[in-house]
Amino acid sequence: MRIQFISLAIAALAISPASAEEGWINLFNGKNLDGWAEHSGKAKYTIEDGVLTGQSVSGTGNSFLCTTQTFENFELEVEYKCDALLNSGVQIRSEVFPDATNAIIGGKEFKFTADRIHGYQCEIDMDAARARMWSAGIYDEARRGWLFPTGGEKSAQCLAFSEQGRTVSKNGEWNKLRIVANGPTIQTWLNGVPRAEICDNVTPRGVIGLQVHGIGNATNKIGLKVSFRTIRIHELEPNALTEQEKADGWKLLWDGKTTDGWRSPKSDEFPVKSWGIADGVLTVDPGLTNGEAEAQAGGDIITRKRYSNFELVADFKTTFGCNSGIKIFVQPDISPIDKVTGKPTGVGSAIGLEYQILDDANHPDAKLGRDGDRTMGSLYDLIPAPAGKKVMPVGEWNHARILSQGNHVEFWLNGEKTVEFERGSAVFRAAVAQSKFKDIPGFGEWADGHILLQEHGSEVSFRNVKFRVLPAN
């Protein structure tokens, strides 16, 4: 069940003049708290010389100063300076209810007291004495706890995260947080260094908040301060690149508006049936397909160019009983094969290595193949994804990542690796020999190929299809 944010303020967000860079707006005007509202606790707030400072008080819980406007997809930048003994954080996509409420979030029931902020938090943790410097980690406030890092403070991930935190954090000085929330992906940077990345979409929209952590009755922590300045946001449209992505070599593989760069595997034209574009989303329309028939209506679509070394990311959304896929190293000149016999046939999906997209719970293909190698996130009919992989509910966006460099290939689903293999290795060839592709010479070992989005007779949607070329390893 999706929890809807209930605003407690009637005033619209007071937006300051745009920053010098196009598309950025200042959330804090440096003078007053127009567009902000206090929730949960009773910390003290002051403004001086364009700096907003929160001060800890005893006898109250966590305090939050939150925007009165909600945000979904965005880049957020915040500069902060925090006393070493005080924990703080920046809330994003967070919610609050005016009354005590029981709510189902991420399949689990939570009980929230009245006016309790809950949701994603980018941590501010400056206490070097604790040997846990987790600033720019991601915490799920009042809900599920730590999302990154995980495994407990002594785990390898947490120890490495702390060590990096000690290197990049600036105690007693101004630090800069950068947070990108785009679809199910949330990424953080601290002072220009990448820190955390998760895929999680239980609340896709909510307020932004500045935390002053509660101190209980610790008298030595009364009056500790966390200060904020230069709080600005750039809302992201679907199928857009951030400045950092552009600098890192990313490009849009689908522009979100047209069919440019794509065609049918069977001709030089884009299919006239099956595929629709609306509101920045590319969707297979089941009303234009032929039920469960594979690539028999409009058919698959492939990139006009061929690729070998690359990183590809895409958001995709399934429907009940959905079957689809993303293929790489696609060879349109090789005849499709029958899905039962593996023999060449005149109809069917183009040949390539497939990142399987499937509603595992409601499509029979999940129980076919070997050891689950036709389930979501698998290398189709070759290597299974883990049974405990993280899959968003039907109707919500998932995030796929495919890395191909030399013969090395990785599939990722919602921030977790599902498959890793070496094309041409003994293990890979053994898997091919047991698959329906066994009669295709050199299957999966081609030097390059097209990228394909599959039409398999059921509704599936794509957006934010991004791509960058990698050096050969």
Side-chain angles (χ1 to χ4, degrees):
M1 181 177 72
R2 174 68 60 226
I3 309 300
Q4 297 296 325
F5 173 78
I6 302 175
S7 176
L8 299 182
I10 59 175
L13 179 65
I15 296 175
S16 300
S19 302
E21 297 176 58
E22 184 178 355
W24 288 88
I25 58 173
N26 294 317
L27 295 180
F28 170 53
N29 63 19
K31 301 175 182 178
N32 55 48
L33 295 180
D34 288 353
W36 295 81
E38 296 180 48
H39 295 289
S40 302
K42 300 297 181 183
K44 295 180 180 179
Y45 297 97
T46 59
I47 299 172
E48 185 176 355
D49 297 328
V51 175
L52 171 62
T53 298
Q55 188 171 338
S56 61
V57 298
S58 63
T60 187
N62 294 346
S63 301
F64 300 89
L65 189 63
C66 300
T67 60
T68 56
Q69 182 175 330
T70 63
F71 300 90
E72 183 175 3
N73 298 311
F74 54 83
E75 294 179 81
L76 174 68
E77 293 183 351
V78 180
E79 293 182 7
Y80 73 87
K81 182 164 59 174
C82 186
D83 286 344
L85 292 178
L86 183 63
N87 181 282
S88 184
V90 177
Q91 297 292 133
I92 63 167
R93 291 179 172 175
S94 295
E95 299 177 317
V96 64
F97 300 107
D99 303 310
T101 302
N102 292 356
I104 304 295
I105 297 177
K108 182 178 179 180
E109 184 175 15
F110 293 87
K111 296 181 179 181
F112 299 111
T113 56
D115 198 39
R116 182 61 165 100
I117 286 288
H118 53 276
Y120 303 109
Q121 180 186 115
C122 183
E123 180 81 355
I124 295 175
D125 183 2
M126 305 298 291
D127 190 356
R130 293 181 62 190
R132 196 199 80 170
M133 299 287 283
W134 288 7
S135 290
I138 301 174
Y139 184 78
D140 200 16
E141 175 73 19
R143 300 195 304 200
R144 298 165 295 168
W146 282 102
L147 302 178
F148 192 97
T150 59
E153 294 191 12
K154 300 300 182 182
S155 71
Q157 184 184 76
C158 291
L159 290 173
F161 195 71
S162 291
E163 181 61 30
Q164 186 193 52
R166 282 189 286 273
T167 301
V168 300
S169 293
K170 302 176 181 178
N171 276 21
E173 302 179 35
W174 286 101
N175 293 264
K176 183 176 181 179
L177 284 175
R178 178 171 178 264
I179 305 166
V180 175
N182 196 6
T185 303
I186 300 173
Q187 301 166 289
T188 69
W189 288 256
L190 177 60
N191 296 325
V193 177
R195 287 286 278 159
E197 179 173 350
I198 65 170
C199 286
D200 197 88
N201 204 32
V202 297
T203 44
R205 170 180 284 273
V207 297
I208 290 165
L210 309 175
Q211 183 195 52
V212 178
H213 203 283
I215 60 171
N217 295 313
T219 55
N220 66 317
K221 293 186 176 182
I222 295 175
L224 293 178
K225 297 177 181 179
V226 56
S227 298
F228 302 93
R229 70 182 186 187
T230 317
I231 308 168
R232 65 178 197 156
I233 195 168
H234 177 206
E235 293 193 77
L236 300 175
E237 296 295 327
N239 312 299
L241 296 170
T242 67
E243 291 305 315
Q244 186 65 52
E245 285 175 323
K246 293 175 183 177
D248 291 340
W250 288 95
K251 300 181 183 297
L252 290 176
L253 197 58
W254 176 58
D255 64 14
K257 301 174 183 178
T258 72
T259 63
D260 291 353
W262 295 82
R263 66 174 178 90
S264 167
K266 301 175 182 179
S267 76
D268 196 49
E269 303 299 323
F270 193 89
V272 296
K273 297 187 295 183
S274 300
W275 294 90
I277 298 173
D279 301 322
V281 177
L282 179 64
T283 300
V284 175
D285 184 347
L288 299 176
T289 64
N290 189 22
E292 184 53 24
E294 180 183 84
Q296 293 185 31
D300 304 331
I301 57 174
I302 62 172
T303 55
R304 292 189 176 275
K305 295 181 179 180
R306 300 171 69 96
Y307 302 97
S308 55
N309 300 294
F310 60 86
E311 185 175 3
L312 169 71
V313 296
D315 296 339
F316 66 90
K317 182 165 59 178
T318 63
T319 53
F320 183 88
C322 172
N323 187 352
S324 185
I326 302 170
K327 295 186 183 184
I328 60 175
F329 291 97
V330 170
Q331 309 296 311
D333 295 334
I334 297 178
S335 295
I337 59 174
D338 184 89
K339 62 182 179 181
V340 176
T341 67
K343 301 300 181 184
T345 180
V347 296
S349 187
I351 297 298
L353 297 173
E354 180 177 350
Y355 179 115
Q356 173 76 318
I357 295 174
L358 196 78
D359 176 8
D360 290 347
N362 298 294
H363 195 286
D365 221 20
K367 297 179 175 60
L368 301 178
R370 294 178 300 105
D371 303 322
D373 64 3
R374 296 188 182 184
T375 59
M376 173 82 87
S378 297
L379 173 59
Y380 175 76
D381 213 46
L382 295 170
I383 303 174
K389 59 187 175 281
K390 182 178 181 180
V391 181
M392 300 301 177
V394 166
E396 297 189 9
W397 289 102
N398 291 270
H399 185 71
R401 174 175 176 255
I402 300 174
L403 183 146
S404 172
Q405 196 164 27
N407 287 327
H408 183 76
V409 179
E410 297 176 11
F411 288 176
W412 292 69
L413 173 64
N414 295 322
E416 299 175 355
K417 189 187 298 181
T418 59
V419 167
E420 182 175 13
F421 59 95
E422 301 291 329
R423 298 185 303 127
S425 67
V427 172
F428 178 81
R429 289 177 178 177
V432 172
Q434 298 179 73
S435 76
K436 69 181 189 179
F437 306 110
K438 61 183 182 296
D439 295 326
I440 299 176
F443 176 82
E445 300 182 34
W446 311 289
D448 58 23
H450 301 270
I451 294 168
L452 176 149
L453 303 180
Q454 188 181 48
E455 178 261 290
H456 206 299
S458 52
E459 182 177 343
V460 62
S461 298
F462 299 93
R463 70 177 186 187
N464 293 326
V465 185
K466 303 176 183 181
F467 175 93
R468 63 175 172 180
V469 173
L470 299 177
N473 61 4

